[in-house]
C-alpha cells in the first residue's frame, strides 16, 4: 500500500474518530516514516488547539449596529426613491415652476375672459385710450407666450401643491423673473 | 432565521449574538488578520441581513452562514492576492479559554503566530477546509456543503492542508527525525 494513501487514511480516521483498517495497521508496523507521520499528525491536532477562539475587539458591536442602521436606511431610501426623485425635481426647478404657475394662473384668468372686442360695444371701442391699447397689446403678448400655449402639458398645479409656501414666495424675488405690467397697474404677470 | 424572514428584527439580533464570535474567529483565521477578520465578519452579517428575502431552509443554518462567511473571506483573499499577514494579536486581545501562567501564555502566543503564518501559506480552499473542520467542528459532509464541493474532494483538501501544516510546523510536530512528506 502506498504511503500517501496510508497517511491520508490515518489522518482522516483520527478526525472522524474511526478505527484504522487492519491493512493500514500492518503497513504502519513495517513503515517507520508512516509511523512518524502518524505521530506528527496527532501532534498537529494538539497544536491547532493552541489557537482558541477570541472575543472581538472593543467597539465591535457598536460599529456593527451603526453599519446595520446605515443598511436599513439605505433600504428605506431605495423603497421611497420614486417620491424622493419627484421631490428633488420639484426643488431643482422650483423657480421655473413657480414662474410658470403664476403665469398659468394669470393666463387662465385671461383665457377664460371674453376677448375685449367681443364684450365691448362698438361705440365703446372708440373710447379706448392709448393706455388701454397698451394693455391689450400686453395681453396679446401674454397669450403668445410659448409656456401659455403649453399649459396643458405642464401639471403645474400639482407641482405647486408639492412646493413649500416659502419656496413659492421666494420665487418672486428671483432676478430671472420678467415682469410684464400695465404701467397703470401694480399687479404684474411674471414669467 | 425564518422568524427574521417574517419580519422579526429581534430574531436577527439573536442570530448575530449567537454567531458573532464564531464568524469573527472564522474570518480571522481565513484572512490571517484580526482587524480584517472583524471587518469581514461584520460584512457577513450585513449580507445575512440582506439575504432574508431569498433565504430558503435547504440545509442547516450554520452551514448557510458559514458558506456566506467562507465565500466572502475567500473573495477577499483573492483580492489580496494571497498576501495574508500573520495574525498579530493586540496586547488587549481577550482569550476566551481563561487565564494561564505568563510563561505559558508567551509560548502560546508565539505558537499562535507560527500557526497563523503557516495557515496563511496554505492555498485558500485548503485553509478554508482545515478551518471549517478543525476549528468550527463541522463534519466532512457539512464542510463539503459549505464549500460546495464533494465529500471526497473535501477530505482531500483537509489532508493536503494537514500535510502542508506539518511541513510548516516541523520544529513543533517532529521532535525526532524527519519523514518524507
Amino acid at each position: 500500500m502506498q504511503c500517501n494513501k496510508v497517511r491520508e487514511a490515518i489522518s482522516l480516521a483520527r478526525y472522524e474518530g474511526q478505527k484504522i483498517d487492519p491493512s493500514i495497521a500492518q503497513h504502519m508496523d513495517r513503515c517507520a516514516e508512516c509511523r512518524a507521520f502518524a505521530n506528527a499528525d496527532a501532534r498537529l491536532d494538539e497544536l491547532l488547539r493552541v489557537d482558541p477562539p477570541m472575543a472581538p475587539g472593543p467597539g465591535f458591536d457598536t460599529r456593527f449596529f451603526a453599519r446595520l442602521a446605515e443598511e436599513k436606511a439605505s433600504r428605506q431610501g431605495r423603497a421611497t426613491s420614486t417620491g424622493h426623485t419627484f421631490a428633488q425635481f420639484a426643488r431643482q426647478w422650483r423657480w421655473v415652476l413657480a414662474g410658470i404657475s403664476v403665469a398659468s394662473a394669470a393666463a387662465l384668468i385671461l383665457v377664460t375672459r371674453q376677448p375685449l372686442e367681443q364684450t365691448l360695444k362698438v361705440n365703446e371701442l372708440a373710447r379706448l385710450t392709448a393706455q388701454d391699447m397698451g394693455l391689450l397689446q400686453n395681453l396679446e403678448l401674454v397669450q403668445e407666450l410659448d409656456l401659455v400655449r403649453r399649459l396643458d402639458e405642464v401639471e403645474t398645479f400639482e407641482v405647486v401643491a408639492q412646493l413649500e409656501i416659502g419656496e413659492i414666495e421666494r420665487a418672486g424675488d428671483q432676478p430671472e423673473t420678467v415682469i410684464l405690467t400695465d404701467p397703470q397697474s401694480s399687479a404684474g404677470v411674471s414669467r | 432565521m425564518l422568524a427574521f424572514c417574517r419580519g422579526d428584527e429581534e430574531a436577527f439580533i439573536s442570530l448575530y449574538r449567537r454567531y458573532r464570535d464564531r464568524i469573527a474567529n472564522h474570518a480571522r483565521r481565513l484572512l490571517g488578520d484580526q482587524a480584517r477578520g472583524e471587518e469581514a465578519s461584520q460584512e457577513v452579517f450585513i449580507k445575512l441581513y440582506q439575504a432574508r428575502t431569498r433565504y430558503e431552509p435547504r440545509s442547516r443554518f450554520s452551514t448557510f452562514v458559514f458558506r456566506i462567511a467562507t465565500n466572502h473571506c475567500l473573495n477577499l483573499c483573492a483580492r489580496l492576492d494571497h498576501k495574508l499577514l500573520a495574525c498579530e494579536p493586540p496586547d488587549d486581545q481577550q482569550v476566551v479559554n481563561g487565564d494561564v501562567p505568563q510563561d505559558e501564555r508567551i509560548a502560546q502566543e508565539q505558537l499562535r503566530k507560527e500557526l497563523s503564518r503557516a495557515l496563511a501559506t496554505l492555498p485558500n480552499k485548503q485553509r478554508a477546509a482545515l478551518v471549517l473542520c478543525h476549528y468550527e467542528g463541522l463534519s466532512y459532509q457539512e464542510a463539503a456543503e459549505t464549500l460546495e464541493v464533494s465529500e471526497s474532494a473535501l477530505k482531500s483538501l483537509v489532508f493536503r492542508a494537514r500535510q502542508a501544516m506539518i511541513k510548516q510546523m516541523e520544529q513543533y510536530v517532529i521532535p525526532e527525525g524527519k519523514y518524507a512528506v
Side-chain angles (χ1 to χ4, degrees):
Chain A
M1 180 173 282
Q2 292 180 350
C3 289
N4 205 41
K5 291 187 182 301
V6 169
R7 293 171 191 178
E8 183 171 358
I10 292 171
S11 183
L12 297 178
R14 173 180 300 106
Y15 180 75
E16 292 185 307
Q18 296 177 352
K19 293 182 180 178
I20 58 175
D21 192 83
S23 60
I24 294 177
Q26 289 175 6
H27 179 92
M28 295 276 288
D29 290 338
R30 296 191 302 271
C31 182
E33 290 187 351
C34 284
R35 284 201 302 274
F37 172 84
N39 292 334
D41 193 63
R43 176 66 180 142
L44 179 64
D45 279 345
E46 295 175 11
L47 293 178
L48 292 176
R49 282 192 286 270
V50 171
D51 184 16
M54 291 182 288
F60 183 90
D61 286 346
T62 303
R63 293 196 304 275
F64 171 69
F65 286 118
R67 294 180 76 163
L68 186 61
E70 285 180 12
E71 170 63 21
K72 289 180 181 179
S74 174
R75 288 170 70 90
Q76 289 176 354
R78 285 195 294 271
T80 59
S81 62
T82 303
H84 285 174
T85 301
F86 181 80
Q88 287 173 356
F89 170 80
R91 277 192 289 275
Q92 288 174 358
W93 292 91
R94 61 185 183 275
W95 298 346
V96 175
L97 293 175
I100 291 175
S101 67
V102 174
S104 64
L108 201 61
I109 296 171
L110 293 172
V111 299
T112 55
R113 294 178 61 184
Q114 295 290 335
L116 282 178
E117 56 270 27
Q118 295 180 0
T119 57
L120 291 174
K121 296 178 180 178
V122 175
N123 57 346
E124 292 176 341
L125 282 174
R127 293 200 290 273
L128 288 176
T129 65
Q131 289 175 344
D132 292 333
M133 293 306 294
L135 177 59
L136 280 173
Q137 287 174 352
N138 281 342
L139 290 176
E140 288 176 4
L141 182 62
V142 169
Q143 289 175 351
E144 287 299 316
L145 285 174
D146 185 57
L147 65 89
V148 173
R149 285 200 297 271
R150 292 188 292 108
L151 277 177
D152 289 340
E153 302 172 13
V154 180
E155 298 176 355
T156 56
F157 295 107
E158 185 177 352
V159 170
V160 169
Q162 298 289 335
L163 296 176
E164 297 174 1
I165 298 297
E167 289 176 330
I168 297 175
E169 291 174 349
R170 282 194 295 275
D173 297 329
Q174 300 307 319
E176 295 85 357
T177 303
V178 176
I179 307 295
L180 301 176
T181 58
D182 177 9
Q184 297 295 329
S185 172
S186 60
V189 174
S190 62
R191 66 179 169 91
Chain B
M1 184 65 185
L2 291 175
F4 172 54
C5 294
R6 290 191 293 265
D8 184 357
E9 295 278 333
E10 284 300 317
F12 177 77
I13 302 300
S14 295
L15 286 173
Y16 166 77
R17 296 205 186 283
R18 194 187 312 169
Y19 284 94
R20 183 195 68 173
D21 288 5
R22 288 183 70 185
I23 297 299
N25 279 282
H26 183 63
R28 173 180 62 83
R29 292 187 179 109
L30 288 182
L31 295 172
D33 182 77
Q34 173 83 0
R36 280 200 193 118
E38 289 189 1
E39 176 85 9
S41 64
Q42 291 190 356
E43 290 163 0
V44 167
F45 282 105
I46 295 295
K47 286 190 171 185
L48 192 62
Y49 185 87
Q50 294 168 342
R52 69 172 165 182
T53 55
R54 60 179 186 275
Y55 172 72
E56 294 179 7
R58 282 179 285 190
S59 60
R60 290 177 59 181
F61 177 74
S62 59
T63 304
F64 176 73
V65 71
F66 275 106
R67 181 183 301 148
I68 294 178
T70 304
N71 287 339
H72 183 70
C73 291
L74 293 186
N75 288 336
L76 288 175
C77 286
R79 286 210 292 269
L80 290 171
D81 289 331
H82 310 289
K83 293 175 184 176
L84 300 181
L85 302 173
C87 182
E88 292 289 343
D91 292 336
D92 60 348
Q93 192 173 52
Q94 298 177 10
V95 177
V96 176
N97 66 350
D99 293 335
V100 295
Q102 185 167 356
D103 291 346
E104 193 173 336
R105 193 187 312 152
I106 292 172
Q108 282 185 359
E109 287 193 2
Q110 179 61 31
L111 184 54
R112 276 164 53 189
K113 290 180 184 179
E114 290 294 324
L115 277 170
S116 181
R117 182 194 57 79
L119 271 175
T121 63
L122 295 179
N124 291 340
K125 279 224 166 175
Q126 284 185 21
R127 183 168 62 255
L130 184 66
V131 170
L132 284 169
C133 289
H134 189 87
Y135 287 107
E136 301 306 328
L138 270 63
S139 68
Y140 286 140
Q141 182 184 359
E142 290 170 338
E145 280 182 36
T146 302
L147 290 179
E148 297 177 292
V149 298
S150 66
E151 193 169 327
S152 61
L154 188 280
K155 289 180 179 178
S156 176
L157 285 171
V158 170
F159 175 63
R160 283 186 277 146
R162 292 180 70 91
Q163 274 190 310
M165 287 293 288
I166 287 172
K167 194 170 184 180
Q168 290 289 329
M169 303 291 291
E170 199 171 345
Q171 61 177 326
Y172 293 96
V173 297
I174 309 177
E176 299 174 2
K178 293 187 178 183
Y179 65 91
V181 175

